[in-house]
C-alpha cells in the first residue's frame, strides 16, 4: 500500500480538496519534474517502471507515450478515459471523487513529458457528481497556478476540459471516445494509424485511464525502482481491485499488483456470506472469462490472468455464489453486449443480437438441441473480426460460460 500521500484512495475526510492534497505533498512532484527534468527522462522513468495501463488492455504507459512523434508543429492532446462502463468496475469513480488533484498532477507530468498543452477528461455520462467535483478541482488548481499558463514559473501551460459522455459502453474504447469527443456518434476507427500518431482532431493523442495517470506522480516522486519494489518485478505498484457480488465487504481495494484472487475475495472482501459457497468469479469486468472456484489461486496481474485463459481487464471482480442460475448469468451477459454493440461491425452487431435471441428462446421454451453449439459458433464468428475489442469482450465471456457450465445449462433447459 503506498503511504497516504500517494494513495489513490486517500484516507483524509476532505481528501479531494486542494488544501488536503497539498498537505499530502501534492504538486511537489510536478514542480520538481517541470522545473528540473527533461521530458525524455520522464518517459524513460515511466518506461522503466513498466506502468501498465489500468483501463483494460494493460499496455505499458511509457511505451505508448514514446510513440507520439517528436517535433510536430501542430497541437497534441491528452485524453483521460473516465468512461468506466464495464459492469463490475467502479474504481475510477472513487479516484475522481477522492483524489482528483492526484489525477491532475499525473496529467501535468504526462503533458510535460509528451509536449501537450490541452487535455480532455472524458467522464461517463451517469457520473454527474464526479464531473462537478472535477470541475471544482480544476477551478482550485487553476487559481493556485497548477493549471493554466506559466506553470511553476516556466513557459509551459496546460488547459483541462471536462467532457461528459452520454452513457455508452463503446465510448470507453479509445477511438470511439475520440469520435464522441469530436461530436460524432461513438464508433471505433480503423487502426492503424493509432491515436498516438493520428488521434483527436487528427493530431497525435495520448489516451490513458484515470488510475494509470493518477499513479504517475508516485513513480516520479520515488523512482521506478521503488515503484517496482511493490507488486511484481515486471508489473509494479498497486492496483485498485473492485469487488462486488456475494462477499461480506464489497468495495474497492488498493493492493499490490499480483495479490492472489483468493486473498482479495476471502481476506480483504471478507469471503462469501455465511452459508453461501462460491460458484464462479468474473475476475476483470464482464468481458473477462469466468473462473471456477478451483481456479482462483492466481496472482491478479495482466500476464497471469492471460495465461489462465481469462483477463485482468479493469480488475472488476464479481463473485457469484452457489445457487445462482448460470442461464440467468448467460442471459444478462448476452443482453448487455447486444445492447452495447455500436453496430459498426457486422459480426458484432448481428452476432451479439443472435446470441441474445437464442439465449432468450432457451430460457423461454428450452430452445433447440443444437443451440449451445450454435452460440459457441456465433461467438467464434465475432472474435477477431471486428474493428475494436468489444467483439472479443462480448464473445469470450459467453464462450467461457457455455463451456464451463454446459452441464448445468443443459439441465436447466431440459423439459
Ligand atoms: C468496449 C470498450 C470499453 C472500454 N472502456 C474503457 C473505460 O471505460 N476506461 C478505460 O480506461 N479504458 C477502457 N477501454 C480501453 C481503452 O480502449 C484503452 O485501452 C485505455 O483507455 C487506454 O488507457 P490505459 O493504457 O491507461 O489503460 C475500453 C475498451 C473497450 C474495447
Amino acid at each position: 500500500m503506498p503511504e497516504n500521500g500517494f494513495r489513490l484512495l486517500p484516507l483524509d475526510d476532505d481528501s479531494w480538496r486542494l488544501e488536503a492534497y497539498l498537505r499530502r505533498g501534492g504538486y511537489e512532484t510536478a514542480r520538481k519534474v517541470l522545473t528540473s527534468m527533461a521530458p525524455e527522462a520522464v518517459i524513460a522513468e515511466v518506461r522503466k517502471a513498466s506502468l501498465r495501463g489500468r483501463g483494460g488492455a494493460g499496455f505499458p504507459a511509457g511505451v505508448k507515450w514514446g510513440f507520439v512523434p517528436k517535433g510536430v508543429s501542430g497541437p497534441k492532446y491528452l485524453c483521460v478515459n473516465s468512461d468506466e462502463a464495464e459492469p463490475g468496475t467502479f474504481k475510477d469513480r472513487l479516484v475522481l471523487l477522492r483524489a482528483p488533484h492526484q489525477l491532475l498532477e499525473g496529467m501535468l507530468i504526462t503533458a510535460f513529458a509528451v509536449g501537450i498543452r490541452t487535455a480532455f477528461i472524458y467522464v461517463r455520462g451517469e457520473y454527474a457528481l464526479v464531473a462537478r467535483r472535477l470541475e471544482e478541482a480544476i477551478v482550485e488548481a487553476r487559481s493556485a497556478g497548477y493549471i493554466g499558463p506559466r506553470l511553476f514559473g516556466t513557459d509551459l501551460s496546460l488547459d483541462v476540459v471536462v467532457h461528459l459522455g452520454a452513457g455508452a459502453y463503446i465510448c470507453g474504447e479509445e477511438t470511439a471516445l475520440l469520435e464522441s469527443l469530436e461530436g460524432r456518434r461513438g464508433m471505433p476507427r480503423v487502426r492503424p494509424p493509432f491515436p498516438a500518431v493520428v488521434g483527436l482532431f487528427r493530431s497525435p493523442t495520448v489516451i490513458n485511464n484515470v488510475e494509470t495517470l493518477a499513479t504517475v506522480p508516485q513513480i516520479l516522486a520515488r523512482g521506478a525502482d521503488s515503484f517496482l519494489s511493490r507488486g511484481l518485478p515486471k508489473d509494479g505498484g498497486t492496483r485498485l481491485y473492485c469487488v462486488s457480488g456475494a462477499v461480506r465487504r464489497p468495495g474497492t481495494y488498493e493492493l499490490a499488483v499480483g495479490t492472489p484472487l483468493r486473498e482479495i475475495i476471502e481476506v480483504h472482501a471478507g469471503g462469501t456470506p455465511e452459508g453461501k459457497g462460491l460458484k464462479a468469479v468474473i475476475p476483470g469486468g464482464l468481458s473477462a472469462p469466468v473462473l471456477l472456484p478451483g481456479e482462483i489461486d492466481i496472482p491478479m496481474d495482466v500476464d497471469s490472468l492471460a495465461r489462465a485463459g481469462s483477463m485482468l481487464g479493469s480488475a472488476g471482480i464479481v463473485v457469484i455464489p452457489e445457487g445462482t442460475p448460470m442461464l440467468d448469468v448467460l442471459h444478462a451477459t448476452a443482453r448487455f453486449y447486444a445492447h452495447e454493440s455500436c453496430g459498426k461491425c457486422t459480426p458484432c452487431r448481428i452476432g451479439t443480437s443472435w446470441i441474445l435471441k437464442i439465449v432468450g428462446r432457451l430460457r423461454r421454451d428450452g430452445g433447440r438441441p443444437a443451440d449451445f453449439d450454435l452460440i459457441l459458433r456465433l461467438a467464434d464468428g465475432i472474435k477477431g473480426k471486428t474493428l475494436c475489442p468489444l467483439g472479443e469482450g462480448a464473445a469470450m465471456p459467453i464462450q467461457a460460460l457455455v463451456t464451463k457450465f454446459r452441464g448445468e445449462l443443459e439441465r436447466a433447459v431440459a423439459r
Side-chain angles (χ1 to χ4, degrees), residues 90-102:
F90 36 83
K91 63 187 182 69
D92 295 335
R93 175 173 159 271
L94 293 175
V95 176
L96 294 168
L97 287 176
R98 287 166 65 176
H101 284 287
Q102 194 152 320

Side-chain angles (χ1 to χ4, degrees), residues 32-320:
K32 179 187 85 174
V33 168
L34 269 66
T35 56
S36 70
M37 281 181 81
E40 304 75 44
V42 178
I43 297 183
E45 200 63 22
V46 174
R47 265 184 99 130
K48 189 174 168 204
S50 48
L51 169 64
R52 304 193 70 159
R54 299 333 196 200
F59 195 80
V63 176
K64 189 190 291 190
W65 300 356
F67 290 155
V68 176
K70 312 264 174 314
V72 284
S73 54
K76 300 176 202 168
Y77 296 106
L78 172 63
C79 292
V80 183
N81 193 340
S82 169
D83 193 56
E84 191 156 75
E86 175 113 351
T89 310
F90 36 83
K91 63 187 182 69
D92 295 335
R93 175 173 159 271
L94 293 175
V95 176
L96 294 168
L97 287 176
R98 287 166 65 176
H101 284 287
Q102 194 152 320
L103 169 67
L104 293 175
E105 185 170 12
M107 290 169 62
L108 265 179
I109 295 168
T110 308
F112 168 72
V114 185
I116 290 169
R117 288 168 177 259
T118 309
F120 294 87
I121 308 179
Y122 189 99
V123 181
R124 174 185 172 138
E126 292 88 339
Y127 283 1
L129 171 64
V130 167
R132 268 208 306 281
R133 187 157 289 172
L134 258 177
E135 296 280 15
E136 277 174 36
I138 290 168
V139 168
E140 281 186 322
R142 192 169 277 132
S143 56
Y146 299 126
I147 286 179
R150 300 205 46 77
L151 299 166
F152 305 109
T154 67
D155 59 2
L156 299 162
S157 67
L158 182 68
D159 258 326
V160 180
V161 179
V162 175
H163 180 97
L164 207 58
Y169 175 52
I170 188 62
C171 289
E173 193 282 325
E174 57 184 20
T175 61
L177 183 151
L178 297 177
E179 286 287 297
S180 171
L181 255 183
E182 289 183 13
R184 282 188 291 278
R185 186 171 174 177
M187 285 183 158
R189 294 179 180 174
V190 178
R191 273 164 296 193
F194 288 92
V197 182
V198 181
L200 190 65
F201 305 119
R202 303 200 60 75
S203 300
T205 302
V206 167
I207 305 168
N208 274 126
N209 171 258
V210 169
E211 183 187 350
T212 312
L213 292 169
T215 302
V216 166
Q218 57 169 295
I219 295 174
L220 275 303
R222 294 186 309 201
D225 291 332
S226 155
F227 185 73
L228 285 167
S229 69
R230 255 186 222 99
L232 303 175
K234 287 193 180 152
D235 190 356
T238 55
R239 274 198 83 128
L240 296 174
Y241 297 100
C242 316
V243 194
S244 61
V247 287
R248 286 194 176 88
R249 290 189 296 276
T252 304
Y253 295 90
E254 189 168 358
L255 302 166
V257 170
T259 302
L261 179 54
R262 182 183 295 284
E263 179 187 322
I264 297 174
I265 295 172
E266 292 183 358
V267 178
H268 301 284
T272 50
E274 195 66 44
K276 287 225 186 255
L278 182 66
K279 184 164 187 180
V281 180
I282 297 169
L286 191 61
S287 299
V290 69
L291 298 176
L292 298 173
E295 296 175 306
I296 67 168
D297 290 300
I298 183 171
M300 283 290 280
D301 64 275
V302 176
D303 297 332
S304 302
L305 266 293
R307 275 196 296 274
S310 187
M311 194 169 79
L312 182 64
S314 49
I317 300 164
V318 183
V319 178
I320 301 173

